[in-house]
Amino acid sequence: MTSTHAFWLAGRQVAGEDTFDVTNPWDGRLVGKVGVPTDAQVEEAVAAAYAVRDEFAATPAHVRAAALDHVSKRLVERTEEIAQLISAENGKPIKWARGEVGRAVSVFRFAAEEARRFNGGDAQRLDTDAGGQGRLALTRRFPKGVVLGIAPFNFPLNLCAHKIAPAIAAGAPIILKPAPATPLSGLILGELLAETDLPAGSWSILPVANDKMPALVQDERLPVISFTGSEKVGYAIMDSVPRKHCTLELGGNGAAVVLADYASDEDLDWAAGRIATFSNYQGGQSCISVQRVIADASVYERLLPRIVAAVEAQVTGDPSDPKTDVGPLVSEDAAKRVESWVQEAVEAGATLHAGGKRDGASYAPTVLTDVPSEVTISCEEVFGPVLTVQKVNGEAEAFAAVNDSKYGLQAGVFTHDLQTAFRAHRALAVGGVVVGDVPSYRADQMPYGGVKQSGVGREGVKFAMDDYTYERVLVLTGLAL
């Protein structure tokens, strides 16, 4: 019998009046039933978080750090169980699901470390001006208030961790809404947090239906919103609450640039392998997956067949099989959308080199060239296992091609030249430039976010803590400095 999963309201496990089904996108089987919070239960969670906000902000650092350390250690102990759950509800190949658990382990560990370092205060002498004689300014950071965290389906554990862990580290209560398609991994975090000594009310995990979110977004008791998801929804949230602080991690169409100096057989084999892997990992359902390859004309003819061969070597199939590289998309509708975008490109003159076929929720890893600039797949985030390859002449044209996009999340630049690396860092309108690798590299402690339509603010534990807090200055008077 499939179990019914309760949700977490102000630190305690609660059942809703109704449930919804979570199904496996690979085979359609029922993974679990999830309780749905009533309006009254959502109000109780918000009221509890708002009421505890001052107490939680004043919680000793060692208490918050110990709780975060505990979650990190318990994730290690339950790695295989949680990875199987991620794979079942998301369709993510088990090897990538295990990697996701490992990343969440690190996020909570980083947060514990930051909780111990956070808010030591910066002292500033004010007697640099005559009016400040005998005065010292001490600047510390304090939580802006309760955080509303809204997580996506593609990393159902780790992107929940990136909402919860920084909030706890900073002393900000949090209400987390996991994605409706993949709520079970987020609810697991509730089990681990419930084993800690954090104040009641400081966290809730509520699988609220999407149509209930506008009321939560508008609630004045939730002054901080951290959203990861689509550009359309993210900016609609920001536009609806212009006086709130919004951190938005939105879409991208990540480009991998292969420049002329990256020309040896070893170089091109490495680039092709990395591009093939990270255009298709998570079924391409990552904001920083490789969607565009921009190759210098001098290496293009040698690189393209390597990419095609490496893409065709990707093992597709049952996500529970450790050999599988590429599993299904999150739903059949998602796969149909990708299918329609590829078909549009081919009908407009693009050349199909690999893939281009759908089977239910699965879409075969696909490579396209000669893609017209006006078709959807050139302009939008495909969020599927599809790769376009284009030829350019020289560095300037390559960098211009990267920037010819409404998105600006991350870019990868394959070059050995240090000066080129620094020029890329200056020229590319993105939140991160990865040299010698694909744009899909992310370390969970580094600042992560984009420019243009890829969002505002930064994730990465320390940087999210900055977003959740504000500076407050204490001026001390009459001191012998």
Side-chain angles (χ1 to χ4, degrees):
M1 180 179 293
T2 304
S3 60
T4 298
H5 299 257
F7 54 87
W8 295 90
L9 193 167
R12 70 183 194 278
Q13 207 166 23
V14 178
E17 293 179 357
D18 297 318
T19 64
F20 66 90
D21 294 343
V22 178
T23 57
N24 186 319
W26 168 249
D27 56 17
R29 67 181 170 86
L30 183 65
V31 180
K33 292 179 175 291
V34 177
V36 180
T38 64
D39 291 346
Q41 288 169 327
V42 172
E43 167 58 27
E44 183 181 350
V46 174
Y50 186 75
V52 82
R53 69 194 189 284
D54 291 336
E55 174 191 346
F56 193 41
T59 301
H62 72 86
V63 174
R64 287 178 278 117
L68 293 161
D69 270 331
H70 175 82
V71 175
S72 180
K73 292 172 183 175
R74 292 286 284 133
L75 285 169
V76 172
E77 294 169 359
R78 297 178 64 177
T79 290
E80 188 59 26
E81 169 201 350
I82 298 171
Q84 295 285 350
L85 183 62
I86 292 171
S87 183
E89 69 172 342
N90 174 275
K92 182 173 298 193
I94 187 64
K95 69 177 184 180
W96 294 115
R98 289 171 181 145
E100 181 174 348
V101 180
R103 289 181 61 188
V105 169
S106 296
V107 168
F108 278 94
R109 186 180 73 252
F110 295 148
E113 295 166 358
E114 292 297 341
R116 294 183 175 98
R117 284 192 288 260
F118 187 65
N119 231 353
D122 295 324
Q124 181 182 14
R125 291 179 66 137
L126 301 179
D127 62 354
T128 52
D129 183 84
Q133 188 167 332
R135 295 176 186 259
L136 182 78
L138 181 67
T139 303
R140 298 165 62 201
R141 300 190 71 90
F142 293 85
K144 294 173 180 174
V146 183
V147 177
L148 174 61
I150 306 172
F153 71 82
N154 56 328
F155 289 86
L157 180 74
N158 196 43
L159 292 183
C160 288
H162 270 287
K163 310 299 182 191
I164 292 173
I168 292 173
I174 181 163
I175 294 174
L176 176 77
K177 177 199 177 298
T182 57
L184 302 179
S185 304
L187 292 173
I188 284 280
L189 292 176
E191 295 181 25
L192 308 184
L193 288 166
E195 299 168 354
T196 72
D197 295 326
L198 293 174
S202 61
W203 59 275
S204 293
I205 302 175
L206 306 178
V208 180
N210 287 341
D211 61 4
K212 298 288 186 179
M213 285 308 297
L216 267 177
V217 166
Q218 293 288 335
D219 197 307
E220 293 183 357
R221 295 167 295 179
L222 308 174
V224 179
I225 298 174
S226 178
F227 171 85
T228 302
S230 73
E231 165 198 355
K232 179 180 178 180
V233 175
Y235 282 113
I237 289 172
M238 176 177 278
D239 291 345
S240 73
V241 285
R243 291 182 175 84
K244 290 194 177 190
H245 179 91
C246 294
T247 296
L248 306 179
E249 198 278 280
L250 307 177
N253 56 0
V257 177
V258 184
L259 293 175
D261 71 298
Y262 217 81
S264 72
D265 288 340
E266 183 180 5
D267 286 341
L268 296 179
D269 286 343
W270 162 258
R274 297 293 284 177
I275 287 165
T277 296
F278 288 97
S279 63
N280 295 293
Y281 85 127
Q282 329 289 340
Q285 297 169 122
S286 169
C287 297
I288 47 177
S289 66
V290 185
Q291 182 171 332
R292 299 181 291 155
V293 176
I294 298 164
D296 189 87
S298 64
V299 298
Y300 178 87
E301 299 299 337
R302 295 166 58 216
L303 178 64
L304 179 59
R306 284 174 161 88
I307 290 174
V308 172
V311 167
E312 290 178 333
Q314 295 284 301
V315 178
T316 62
D318 185 346
S320 66
D321 186 340
K323 296 179 181 177
T324 297
D325 298 310
V326 187
L329 276 70
V330 72
S331 68
E332 186 169 359
D333 284 344
K336 287 180 177 178
R337 176 189 56 77
V338 173
E339 180 182 43
S340 70
W341 287 15
V342 171
Q343 183 176 352
E344 176 200 18
V346 171
E347 289 174 353
T351 301
L352 180 68
H353 293 265
K357 297 180 181 179
R358 181 181 66 83
D359 181 7
S362 296
Y363 196 79
T366 296
V367 180
L368 297 167
T369 60
D370 309 311
V371 180
S373 61
E374 69 276 6
V375 300
T376 307
I377 214 163
S378 291
C379 307
E380 302 293 337
E381 178 181 37
V382 67
F383 225 60
V386 179
L387 182 66
T388 67
V389 186
Q390 70 181 100
K391 182 193 304 183
V392 295
N393 292 301
E395 175 189 309
E397 189 174 326
F399 291 173
V402 174
N403 289 339
D404 186 20
S405 171
K406 66 178 179 178
Y407 297 112
L409 193 47
Q410 292 198 161
V413 179
F414 288 89
T415 181
H416 296 295
D417 187 82
L418 185 60
Q419 294 292 347
T420 301
F422 274 88
R423 286 196 297 271
H425 196 207
R426 179 178 295 277
L428 298 181
V430 294
V433 178
V434 184
V435 175
D437 205 350
V438 291
S440 317
Y441 175 79
R442 178 184 180 184
D444 291 285
Q445 70 270 39
M446 77 182 192
Y448 174 75
V451 297
K452 298 191 282 188
Q453 298 301 300
S454 288
V456 295
R458 291 294 180 267
E459 289 191 343
V461 175
K462 176 183 181 296
F463 305 92
M465 291 169 70
D466 287 344
D467 264 353
Y468 295 169
T469 57
Y470 69 97
E471 294 174 320
R472 187 187 297 168
V473 178
L474 174 69
V475 177
L476 302 174
T477 305
L479 302 178
L481 296 175

